[in-house]
Amino acid sequence: MTGFDVLQTPVTGQVATFLAVHQAEATGGERLPSSRQACFAPGTMIATPLGARAIEDLRAGDLVRTVEGRYVAVLWVAPRDAMHGGADTVVRIEKGALGQGLPTATLYLAPDHGVRITSRIAEQMFGQDEVLVPAESLVGQPGITRARPQDGQAIHLLLEGHHVVIANGLPVESLFVGKDTRARIGRTNWKALRAALPREPFVNGRPRMTPARLRTDLKRARRLIERHLRNPRCTLIDAKGLQAPVLRLVTG
């Protein structure tokens, strides 16, 4: 994949430090789910019933596979002019950087794109063994750096609900429609997204979508990664279920 300048990031200690991605607080201190910059670079291969397909080839009505082995319909696939999450860089995860050969090819994600982590340490910290961490919390590990987008386009993937899909073999989130989605994707894309949704995206001011997993903030995500670095026997990514037999059409 071309169109990106890799920025070699100096690491102090075990985990590099970058600006946090903030989520607004609701009245009374409750944290509302926020939309994330969940978008993919062209050429990213998304798992489907018929095998991995480039995200730019997906269309509304196509099916993609989730980490649970379910097949869910694509509602909307739309490009974005620049791939960034409130910053001028993206996260570059080299092939095999997260172990077990994952991702299967270099993967570019926005800094706050959620990556699913599965471990006993996550369960100890959050009460559940699967959580979504911002991609930028992984920066500083071997093979995971920042890259500056040049002419690269970013593609949003909206499904029937919020799901964890498989992109270049790695479990990552699809687009979550939250309170600031319109500001993030722009007016034109917002109109197209609203037209694709079967129902209003908000109920009493709250997102209708249910988050697929608990979303950790950047500070806690880095703490999780630091604990993993101290315990190398505990892997970040559970590869179980990420590979599935391709469905074959039988005729006659």
Side-chain angles (χ1 to χ4, degrees), residues 48 70 80 115 158 202:
T48 78
R70 296 175 53 205
R80 183 180 166 87
V115 179
L158 177 68
F202 300 98

Side-chain angles (χ1 to χ4, degrees), residues 7 18 83-91 109-111 146-149:
L7 300 178
F18 293 98
M83 187 174 182
H84 59 80
D88 61 353
T89 58
V90 295
V91 176
L109 298 174
R146 285 210 164 218
R148 181 177 293 112

Side-chain angles (χ1 to χ4, degrees), residues 47-52 65-71 166 239-248:
T48 78
L50 301 178
R65 190 169 75 84
T66 71
V67 293
E68 296 87 3
R70 296 175 53 205
Y71 297 105
I166 304 167
K240 183 179 179 181
L242 297 182
Q243 298 292 332
V246 174
L247 300 182
R248 290 177 173 81

Side-chain angles (χ1 to χ4, degrees), residues 61-78:
D62 290 343
L63 298 179
V64 300
R65 190 169 75 84
T66 71
V67 293
E68 296 87 3
R70 296 175 53 205
Y71 297 105
V72 297
V74 173
L75 294 181
W76 179 70
V77 181

Side-chain angles (χ1 to χ4, degrees), residues 21 23 31 112 115 117 122 125-126 130-134 137 213-222 224:
V21 178
Q23 292 183 340
R31 188 178 295 273
D112 57 348
V115 179
I117 299 299
M125 291 182 63
F126 306 108
E130 293 189 357
V131 296
L132 291 172
V133 302
S137 67
R213 300 290 190 281
L214 173 69
R215 166 81 177 195
T216 71
D217 60 28
L218 186 58
K219 182 177 180 180
R220 292 187 297 170
R222 286 194 176 127
L224 171 63

Side-chain angles (χ1 to χ4, degrees), residues 218-234:
L218 186 58
K219 182 177 180 180
R220 292 187 297 170
R222 286 194 176 127
R223 192 176 304 136
L224 171 63
I225 303 305
E226 289 171 349
R227 290 186 59 178
H228 271 271
L229 291 174
R230 294 194 296 266
N231 186 359
R233 292 180 299 174
C234 202

Side-chain angles (χ1 to χ4, degrees), residues 117-198:
I117 299 299
T118 306
S119 73
R120 295 193 304 272
I121 296 176
E123 186 170 16
Q124 293 167 6
M125 291 182 63
F126 306 108
Q128 44 193 286
D129 62 356
E130 293 189 357
V131 296
L132 291 172
V133 302
E136 68 177 316
S137 67
L138 302 169
V139 171
Q141 295 198 69
I144 306 180
T145 57
R146 285 210 164 218
R148 181 177 293 112
Q150 293 180 334
D151 55 358
Q153 223 179 20
I155 300 174
H156 297 288
L157 178 63
L158 177 68
L159 306 178
E160 291 181 339
H162 186 226
H163 296 279
V164 178
V165 298
I166 304 167
N168 288 2
L170 204 65
V172 299
E173 67 176 333
S174 63
L175 181 64
F176 180 87
V177 181
K179 54 187 175 51
D180 56 352
T181 300
R182 178 175 179 174
R184 285 176 172 264
I185 69 175
R187 181 181 300 177
T188 300
N189 279 338
W190 175 249
K191 288 181 178 179
L193 181 151
R194 287 290 302 271
L197 288 170

